[in-house]
């Protein structure tokens, strides 16, 4: 099977990096006189670019699986559709999983890092250009796992190559872009780029880089043979390399460049191949060497969080019928989905399941009364068993009458949350994000009965995204941010004007997010996003001491548009 599209040419001239046998050398420092040594595997090129050369060590000796049979969970997907899958059709940003190989053109930047061939092979277990049913099944599983990793973001993880130009950003006004993750068998690529000593490589922070000449610093590479050709490991490597393109560094410890985690949990930007649950992280584990906020950093490199399907209060709760099939997504540790049920009678049973393949969300459930008073809650203890992880789901039964009642779904941690001890026992709630499926019986209004499809997963979307006459709106104006009134609660006040491009339909709301800027100019924290009504163009934000910028995005009937440019830095008062 041959890839239909070629990587685009670029007119950008790139200087040849200092090399040994064609390979740019990892950045180093003199321990006695220079700055701290660069992270392991970081390669800096003479033109100012940089990429990670990943050496994860040997894969686990046996495959690791999640809480239920992968084969059963993937039964609703067919091998025939393996190369037409979309996790979020219509999203402007994309991660394309390229399994069938292709051709680079002569100005691709990897050619300056030791690569001497224009052709690169795809992934194969048997050396055949055709994909067997078992190979297609692996492709589907890799896609499902990576789709769950990126579920909090407004990104389409797809196995169908986007149209020409859809994987690079040609100008500041280009809102359709992304990254290519190439899974390549054999040793021809890895031998040239890392002397067959790495499991993958990726340029850093290129997801939204403006490359007017084409898809130059691409693809991100994964070499499945170094990972035992196991779907779980291939998916985690794919998310890791895509994470580099979103600006993310490595999660390691004071003694290791990569943290593998425990049998229960590991960080995606480490080497979590033996861990049951793998999540995004901000270094909340013992002896962490990187406290980078993965979600915040990714959002400064061209992606946004997906729109919230349910509010976080009685006033913003949505009926269960508003969730297609009872499905939703938890996008941040502060995200709570409040879902209303009514006309209840007798024993009411509520259950929520995470994604059935590679679930990242550990679910906590609450039942609240008409005014929000807590009635009961449920959270199942997670355990790593021989067959996988159990306890990511949650459920309860309660005798109820009438309504309305509110079911609250949120992400939780497991075990102790003390940074000095929890990695050996559990994990915190930072990366407990992803898809869920909520089922309720005993309340007739809006009831979603249990089904046979894989719980927690959105239905497989096959084929190209649907066409529509409307499009997502453009970005609002750059916000103007000023300190709040002196002497009161520490705040800033932000103002903006609506986007010039509305997408052919009315603006239905705005979302504003504040980012704290560290002394080096990088984002070190992100405040919870606030969703606002369509007529709102001014808001006061309560923020801690520090230097902050704000960005705003608009929503219409199609979805959220891109974030605005960041405001000038402002200190709350």
């Amino acid at each position: 099977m041959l890839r239909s599209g070629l990587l685009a040419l670029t007119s950008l001239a790139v200087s040849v990096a200092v090399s040994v046998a064609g390979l740019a050398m990892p950045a180093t420092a003199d321990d006695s006189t220079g700055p701290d040594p660069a992270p392991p595997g970081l390669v800096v090129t003479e033109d100012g670019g940089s990429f990670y050369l990943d050496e994860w060590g040997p894969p686990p000796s046996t495959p690791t699986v999640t809480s239920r049979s992968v084969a059963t969970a993937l039964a609703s997907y067919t091998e025939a559709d393996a190369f037409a899958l979309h996790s979020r059709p219509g999203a402007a940003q994309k991660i394309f999983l390229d399994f069938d190989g292709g051709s680079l053109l002569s100005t691709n930047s990897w050619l300056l890092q030791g690569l001497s061939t224009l052709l690169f092979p795809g992934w194969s277990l048997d050396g055949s250009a055709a994909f067997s049913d078992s190979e297609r099944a692996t492709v589907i599983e890799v896609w499902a796992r990576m789709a769950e990793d990126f579920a909090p973001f407004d990104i389409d993880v797809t196995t169908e190559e986007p149209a020409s130009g859809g994987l690079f950003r040609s100008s500041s006004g280009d809102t359709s872009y992304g990254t290519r993750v190439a899974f390549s068998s054999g040793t021809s690529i890895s031998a040239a780029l890392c002397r067959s000593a790495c499991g993958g490589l990726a340029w850093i922070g290129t997801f939204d880089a403006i490359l007017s000449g084409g898809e130059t610093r691409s693809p991100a590479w994964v070499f499945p043979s170094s990972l035992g050709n196991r779907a779980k490991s291939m998916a985690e490597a794919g998310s890791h390399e895509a994470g580099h393109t979103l600006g993310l560094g490595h999660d390691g410890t004071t003694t290791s460049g990569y943290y593998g985690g425990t049998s229960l949990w590991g960080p995606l930007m480490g080497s979590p191949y033996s861990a049951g649950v793998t999540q995004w992280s901000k270094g909340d584990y013992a002896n962490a060497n990187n406290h980078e906020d993965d979600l915040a950093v990714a959002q400064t490199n061209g992606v946004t969080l997906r729109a919230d399907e349910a509010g976080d209060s009685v006033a913003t709760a949505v009926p269960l019928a508003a969730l297609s099939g009872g499905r939703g997504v938890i996008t941040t540790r502060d995200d709570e989905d409040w879902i209303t049920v009514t006309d209840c009678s007798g024993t009411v049973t509520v259950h929520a399941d995470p994604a059935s393949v590679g679930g990242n969300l550990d679910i906590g459930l609450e039942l609240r009364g008409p005014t929000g008073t807590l009635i009961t809650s449920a959270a199942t203890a997670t355990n790593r068993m021989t067959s996988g992880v159990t306890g990511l789901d949650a459920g309860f039964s309660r005798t109820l009458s009438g309504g309305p009642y509110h079911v609250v779904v949120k992400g939780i941690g497991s075990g102790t949350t003390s940074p000095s001890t929890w990695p050996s026992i559990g994990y915190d709630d930072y990366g407990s994000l992803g898809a869920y499926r909520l089922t309720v019986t005993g309340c007739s209004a809006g009831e979603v009965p249990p089904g046979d499809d894989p719980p927690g997963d959105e239905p497989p979307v096959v084929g190209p995204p649907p066409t529509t006459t409307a499009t997502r709106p453009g970005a609002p104006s750059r916000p103007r941010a000023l300190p709040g009134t002196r002497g009161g609660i520490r705040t800033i006040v932000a103002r903006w004007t609506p986007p010039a491009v509305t997408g052919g339909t009315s603006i239905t709301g705005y979302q504003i997010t504040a980012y704290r800027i560290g002394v080096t100019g990088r984002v070190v924290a992100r405040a919870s996003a606030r969703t606002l009504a369509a007529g709102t163009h001014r808001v006061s934000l309560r923020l801690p001491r520090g230097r902050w910028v704000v960005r705003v995005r608009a929503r219409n009937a199609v979805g959220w548009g891109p974030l605005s440019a960041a405001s000038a830095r402002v200190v709350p008062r």
Side-chain angles (χ1 to χ4, degrees), residues 84-110:
L85 295 164
H86 294 263
S87 68
R88 192 157 172 75
Q93 281 74 57
K94 301 169 181 64
I95 296 176
F96 169 49
L97 311 186
D98 188 345
F99 288 92
D100 57 3
S103 175
L104 303 176
L105 297 182
S106 60
T107 48
N108 186 278
S109 295
W110 287 122

Side-chain angles (χ1 to χ4, degrees), residues 11 38 64-65 78 85 124 151 166 184 244 281 289 322-323 334 395 400 434 458 489 517 525 537 542 566 573:
S11 59
T64 52
V65 296
T78 66
L85 295 164
S124 177
S184 184
H244 284 321
S281 168
N289 68 347
L323 300 184
D334 298 319
L400 300 175
E458 296 188 19
I489 297 173
I517 307 300
H537 303 125
R542 181 177 178 179
R573 71 178 181 190

Side-chain angles (χ1 to χ4, degrees), residues 280-362:
W280 302 113
S281 168
K282 65 182 184 74
D284 285 343
Y285 54 85
N287 301 316
N289 68 347
N290 179 11
H291 297 280
E292 182 177 67
D293 185 329
D294 285 353
L295 298 176
V297 172
Q299 289 179 80
T300 65
N301 284 273
V303 296
T304 58
L305 297 177
R306 64 191 292 160
D308 199 4
E309 58 276 294
D312 58 1
S313 66
V314 171
T316 57
V318 300
L320 181 56
L323 300 184
S324 176
R327 296 179 178 88
V329 175
I330 299 300
T331 58
T332 72
R333 70 189 317 174
D334 298 319
D335 185 16
E336 295 182 350
D337 282 3
W338 284 53
I339 298 139
T340 304
V341 294
T342 190
D343 295 342
C344 303
S345 178
T347 300
V348 174
T349 299
V350 177
H351 199 91
D353 288 281
S356 50
V357 179
N360 294 1
L361 176 64
D362 191 348

Side-chain angles (χ1 to χ4, degrees), residues 500-512:
V501 177
T502 64
T505 185
S506 300
I507 300 299
T508 59
Y510 292 97
Q511 190 177 74
I512 185 168

Side-chain angles (χ1 to χ4, degrees), residues 5 35 57 65 72-73 108 122 128 161 230 234 255 261 280 328 334 347 364 426 433 435 507:
V65 296
T72 300
N108 186 278
S128 171
E161 182 159 12
R230 297 189 180 100
M234 290 165 63
T255 58
W280 302 113
D334 298 319
T347 300
L433 317 169
I507 300 299

Side-chain angles (χ1 to χ4, degrees), residues 156-257:
D156 181 22
V157 179
T158 180
T159 59
E160 183 171 36
E161 182 159 12
S164 177
L167 289 176
F168 67 92
R169 193 177 185 194
S170 60
S171 68
S172 60
D174 185 358
T175 61
S176 180
Y177 50 84
T179 196
R180 181 189 305 267
V181 180
F183 297 82
S184 184
S185 287
T187 60
S188 62
I189 305 301
S190 62
L193 293 176
C194 63
R195 304 190 185 110
S196 300
C198 65
L201 305 98
W203 294 96
I204 304 170
T206 54
F207 193 90
D208 66 338
I210 297 174
L211 302 169
S212 58
E215 199 182 331
T216 46
R217 296 195 171 176
S218 177
W221 299 102
V222 173
F223 306 125
S225 58
S226 70
L227 300 162
N229 289 299
R230 297 189 180 100
K232 176 181 181 295
S233 298
M234 290 165 63
E236 284 155 359
S239 293
H240 181 112
E241 299 304 342
H244 284 321
T245 73
L246 288 166
L248 303 183
H250 286 149
D251 287 336
T253 68
T254 53
T255 58
S256 174

